[in-house]
Amino acid sequence: MKFRRLLLFVLPLFCLNARAQSDTSHLRVSLLTCSPGVELYSIFGHTALRVTDSVRGIDMVYNYGTFDDRDPNFYAKFTRGIMRYALSNYSYQEFLQEYQAESRGVIEQELQLTGEQKQKMYAALQQNALEENRYYNYYFHTDNCTTRARDVIEQKTGASVVFKNILPEKRPTYRNLIHTYLDKSKQSWSKFGIDLCLGSNFDARVTNDQSMFLPDYLMKALDNATADGHPLVAGTQTVVSAPPVPPAENLVTPMLLFVILFIITTLLSFSNNKWAQRFLNVFDSLFFLCIGVFGLLTVTLWIIRVDTVCRNNFNVLWALPTHFFVAFVVYLKRKWLQQYFRIVFMLTALFTLCWFFIPQQINLAVLPLLSIILVRSYFRGNLPAGNRVTTNIPNNFHNAKAINIEL
């Protein structure tokens, strides 16, 4: 009985020793997960791969998240969703210095792979880093620096990698996932703008594999993954320990600003003072101009982007592109303008009533905007065609009658 117990204790040690002896590559590969930064471009964190060769004295980082913003067509390509990213390799020390300077933490997960699997992965990274291979089309939620790192581990090592489920029973949407980061960093205006531009396709519920487009989710997935039946991660360590930088407080959030505008415009709408009406003429021109510009932007992104994240955007039902043109003549008293604003009132009211049935999560700050549209379109749709003044013909005229003179 004692011999059996001793055998059960010693046998795993022999297996581990045999596995260690089979690794003659002198390679160590690991995944680096960087904490979110303060700027919007870094708010979702970052992922890179590290390869160390103890014999050759190599310690390199392979980073799929580099791009050149000096391209003269950068912003045009960005708008169309044609972002050319590249795989860059440079020293591990340079990588650390960059994130230490930004006060961003770095966590390292060493991968438990055989020597042959590490060599395959290293060879694939070297091949991808060649000038003719290093560039790729970046897509935020389907093909980015994090998914590329995952694919190298899963597809280029030759190991049978299995990712266990890391999502709750009620799977989040893409929008839910990015909201977590935007809310944590108190990026209310960025969240508002992103929600306006992203269509209903971004409200699809993610699969376990799809959730790994975010660095934190890939890190969590590796912790629960297996390679050839054993844990994929051999060990985890915090390389750079940096306390999170408290986000700057936005005193004026979209919700607060739009609620204040709604209260002011509603009160002035019931006033007969000339200065109030003049103010509303200017306000309506600027307000509907801004709404129209956004409507045109929504339609443009829907059409020209090569990906699908801006398509099927239901915000266009209240942010009508036609507002852009009407804004320049909003102060005129024309019957067709009255009809236009009556239609706008009905469309906006219908959109508001169907809020919970729209297959797209609409930002809550849109509600006071809808309220402003309802109030101003109601009053614009019910303005008289012209002011009428009644005067009397002098008594010395025969059959004197009251006549109406159009001003």
Side-chain angles (χ1 to χ4, degrees), residues 200 203 312 314-315 317 349-362 367 370:
S200 61
D203 290 281
N312 304 323
F314 284 83
N315 283 305
L317 295 178
L350 183 61
F351 184 90
T352 307
L353 292 173
C354 296
W355 180 277
F356 294 104
F357 304 100
I358 298 171
Q360 177 179 334
Q361 186 176 346
I362 309 297
L367 279 175
L370 295 177

Side-chain angles (χ1 to χ4, degrees), residues 236-248:
T236 302
Q237 64 172 331
T238 300
V239 180
V240 178
S241 180
V245 179

Side-chain angles (χ1 to χ4, degrees), residues 10-11 13 35 69 144-145 175 206 212 226 298 315 360 391:
V10 174
L11 186 59
L13 297 180
S35 62
D69 59 357
N144 60 25
C145 54
R175 199 184 301 268
V206 299
M212 297 178 211
T226 59
T298 301
N315 283 305
Q360 177 179 334
T391 184

Side-chain angles (χ1 to χ4, degrees), residues 160-200:
S160 177
V161 179
V162 177
F163 291 106
K164 297 180 181 179
N165 181 56
I166 59 172
L167 296 178
E169 184 177 351
K170 185 179 180 180
R171 292 179 292 131
T173 65
Y174 285 109
R175 199 184 301 268
N176 294 150
L177 293 179
I178 67 171
H179 276 182
T180 302
Y181 293 85
L182 293 169
D183 290 338
K184 187 176 181 180
S185 60
K186 298 183 180 180
Q187 295 267 2
S188 57
W189 282 101
S190 297
K191 178 181 177 181
F192 177 72
I194 289 172
D195 277 346
L196 290 185
C197 293
L198 296 179
S200 61

Side-chain angles (χ1 to χ4, degrees), residues 195-362:
D195 277 346
L196 290 185
C197 293
L198 296 179
S200 61
N201 290 347
F202 216 67
D203 290 281
R205 298 202 176 275
V206 299
T207 64
N208 191 59
D209 187 64
Q210 290 169 338
S211 71
M212 297 178 211
F213 79 99
L214 291 169
D216 288 340
Y217 281 79
L218 177 58
M219 181 175 66
K220 185 177 179 181
L222 286 187
D223 278 336
N224 293 275
T226 59
D228 298 329
H230 61 78
L232 177 57
V233 175
T236 302
Q237 64 172 331
T238 300
V239 180
V240 178
S241 180
V245 179
E249 291 283 350
N250 286 324
L251 297 179
V252 181
T253 64
M255 177 65 79
L256 176 62
L257 176 62
F258 299 149
V259 166
I260 292 173
L261 286 178
F262 166 67
I263 294 173
I264 293 173
T265 53
T266 301
L267 292 177
L268 292 179
S269 295
F270 287 97
S271 174
N272 291 323
N273 291 332
K274 290 183 178 180
W275 67 265
Q277 297 308 312
R278 289 171 183 170
F279 173 84
L280 289 174
N281 282 338
V282 175
F283 173 82
D284 287 349
S285 294
L286 294 176
F287 177 72
F288 285 105
L289 180 66
C290 292
I291 299 296
V293 167
F294 168 67
L296 290 172
L297 177 63
T298 301
V299 174
T300 301
L301 292 176
W302 189 330
I303 295 173
I304 70 172
R305 281 190 67 91
V306 296
D307 56 14
T308 62
V309 294
C310 294
R311 295 178 190 170
N312 304 323
N313 192 341
F314 284 83
N315 283 305
V316 77
L317 295 178
W318 63 268
L320 301 177
T322 52
H323 288 336
F324 175 82
F325 307 98
V326 171
F328 295 99
V329 294
V330 71
Y331 59 89
L332 296 179
K333 296 180 176 65
R334 298 290 187 271
K335 193 167 185 179
W336 67 267
L337 270 177
Q338 289 181 317
Q339 295 299 330
Y340 175 82
F341 280 109
R342 288 170 184 171
I343 294 172
V344 169
F345 178 86
M346 290 186 290
L347 286 176
T348 307
L350 183 61
F351 184 90
T352 307
L353 292 173
C354 296
W355 180 277
F356 294 104
F357 304 100
I358 298 171
Q360 177 179 334
Q361 186 176 346
I362 309 297

